[in-house]
Amino acid sequence: MDLLKKIDSSNIFLGDQVFMKSEYLIHPFISGNKYRKLKYNVLEAKKNKQTKLLTFGGAYSNHIAATAYAGEAFGFKTIGIIRGDELKGEIATNPTLKFANSCGMRFKFISREDYRKKTELDFIDKLRSEFGDFYLIPEGGTNSLAVKGCEEILTKNDQDFDFICCCVGTGGTISGLINASASHQKILGFPALKGDFLREDIRKFATNNNWDLITDYHFGGYGKIKPELITFINKFKKEHNIPLDPVYTGKMMYGVFDLLDKGCFSENSKILVIHTGGLQGISGMNIKLKQKGLPIIE
Ligand SMILES: *Cc1c(COP(=O)(O)O)cnc(C)c1O
């Protein structure tokens, strides 16, 4: 894997006005936007002669899986600070943790209360005294180098799209898209979680204001799912032969098609949706769905 190689994902025609940028095909484990976000951070860590990457995430986090894999691929030790100390015993049964562990990631499980301190200097200092020096990658991988990487998602060939739609978790990806867009384009973010703090976070990185958040499609919150979303994901895969993940891309695509149905996009506008990946999360979600007796993602 060569981080300096330029990657331009192809745009797939989905029908009518909609095209999809297939970022999910970049890599099976460092998928989609996580590749973009890690790229310049890995290069920076190498430049600084760091040997360890430390980051934060939940037990199903695409970012944890991607960082663990990238660490192994580029010769770093990795440490994952995981939200929820009840997960300690679940490394063998949780597909994301199991994968990260197989890539050599060391875990520290902490309570949700402690997890909230993840950006506090005191807390980071304590981690340094526990693990030694490390290159810190924030939760979800979002920092200015991550935004720089996400600016490479759009290319010159994408300038004739009127709308660019993406999922939003911590806001790094949409910030990169905003910075790389032309001013006649509108970037629409579909948050996968509830909460209004996101706009503020995006403003920290975004250099333009041609964007908006569509907050109606979080399906109850981060990692929450409803049967109609599963039905949609399975139907989409049958029709287009493209898998969607239940945490991010499934919700965004549901939202885009719902808005199209409601006539919210003018008929002659062209829409580009960014498939940011996240497919490693499907197996973990399916375990939870089975436990609840709900239909699974096929
Ligand atoms: C992490 C992730 C996102 C969220 O990206 P942010 O930069 O945190 O907003 C979106 N889609 C997928 C598939 C992800 O894994």
Side-chain angles (χ1 to χ4, degrees), residues 6-294:
K6 206 168 152 225
I7 296 177
D8 288 346
S9 304
S10 60
N11 293 341
I12 305 164
F13 180 57
L14 293 183
D16 297 328
Q17 318 158 248
V18 189
F19 290 75
M20 174 184 275
K21 189 171 284 293
S22 49
E23 291 276 293
Y24 72 107
L25 296 175
I26 291 181
H27 191 277
F29 299 112
I30 315 183
S31 84
N33 63 345
K34 299 304 184 279
Y35 181 95
R36 304 289 186 181
K37 296 172 89 168
L38 282 169
K39 173 179 170 178
Y40 288 106
N41 278 295
V42 166
L43 291 170
E44 180 71 12
K46 280 268 174 230
K47 200 175 107 194
N48 298 347
K49 305 222 168 7
Q50 295 281 352
T51 57
K52 268 182 228 155
L53 307 177
L54 179 140
T55 195
F56 299 86
Y60 299 91
S61 162
N62 299 325
H63 170 65
I64 287 291
T67 305
Y69 188 95
E72 191 175 43
F74 297 104
F76 294 97
K77 294 199 167 101
T78 52
I79 301 152
I81 310 297
I82 309 294
R83 181 181 60 229
D85 41 13
E86 76 281 5
L87 295 158
K88 256 186 206 116
E90 293 184 21
I91 300 174
T93 50
N94 174 300
T96 304
L97 296 178
K98 192 174 168 186
F99 171 77
N101 193 44
S102 77
C103 298
M105 184 176 260
R106 233 178 112 183
F107 300 120
K108 180 180 171 73
F109 294 90
I110 62 175
S111 68
R112 277 146 224 278
E113 193 187 334
D114 279 347
Y115 193 84
R116 275 184 225 113
K117 302 181 196 153
K118 62 189 178 289
T119 56
E120 291 174 18
L121 287 180
D122 273 4
F123 188 69
I124 307 286
D125 277 348
K126 272 196 205 124
L127 291 173
R128 282 201 206 280
S129 51
E130 185 171 348
F131 295 105
D133 200 20
F134 50 73
Y135 183 88
L136 176 78
I137 303 179
E139 182 186 43
T142 289
N143 57 15
S144 55
L145 289 174
V147 173
K148 179 178 167 186
C150 291
E151 290 171 5
E152 295 174 358
I153 296 173
L154 290 181
T155 71
K156 277 197 227 72
N157 301 333
D158 300 323
Q159 294 237 339
D160 58 335
F161 288 102
D162 302 290
F163 293 96
I164 294 159
C165 300
C166 70
C167 322
V168 178
T170 58
T173 306
I174 191 172
S175 298
L177 293 170
I178 294 164
N179 296 353
S181 66
S183 53
H184 66 84
Q185 298 181 304
K186 181 119 195 204
I187 318 300
L188 298 179
F190 291 72
L193 66 169
K194 288 192 229 176
D196 239 9
F197 55 92
L198 278 171
R199 285 178 203 274
E200 200 114 334
D201 290 348
I202 295 166
R203 275 191 214 107
K204 278 185 213 149
F205 294 110
T207 54
N208 211 333
N209 47 24
N210 56 337
W211 59 278
D212 208 349
L213 296 183
I214 313 287
T215 55
D216 306 326
Y217 299 100
H218 56 64
F219 286 85
Y222 189 73
K224 299 271 164 45
I225 193 165
K226 292 193 173 143
E228 72 225 62
L229 181 63
I230 304 167
T231 307
F232 172 81
I233 289 172
N234 288 337
K235 190 164 149 257
F236 190 89
K237 185 163 176 200
K238 265 202 199 111
E239 275 172 21
H240 301 284
N241 202 20
I242 297 170
L244 298 171
D245 85 290
V247 179
Y248 293 103
T249 54
K251 293 180 179 181
M252 184 240 342
M253 279 314 307
Y254 187 105
V256 170
F257 280 108
D258 195 43
L259 293 176
L260 271 164
D261 278 350
K262 290 177 175 155
C264 297
F265 294 104
S266 68
E267 266 172 41
N268 52 9
S269 61
K270 267 180 82 184
I271 302 163
L272 180 66
V273 298
I274 313 292
H275 191 321
T276 38
L279 303 178
Q280 71 84 31
I282 293 176
S283 50
M285 181 61 83
N286 276 343
I287 293 173
K288 285 200 270 186
L289 291 171
K290 269 188 204 146
Q291 282 165 356
K292 289 184 189 160
L294 290 169

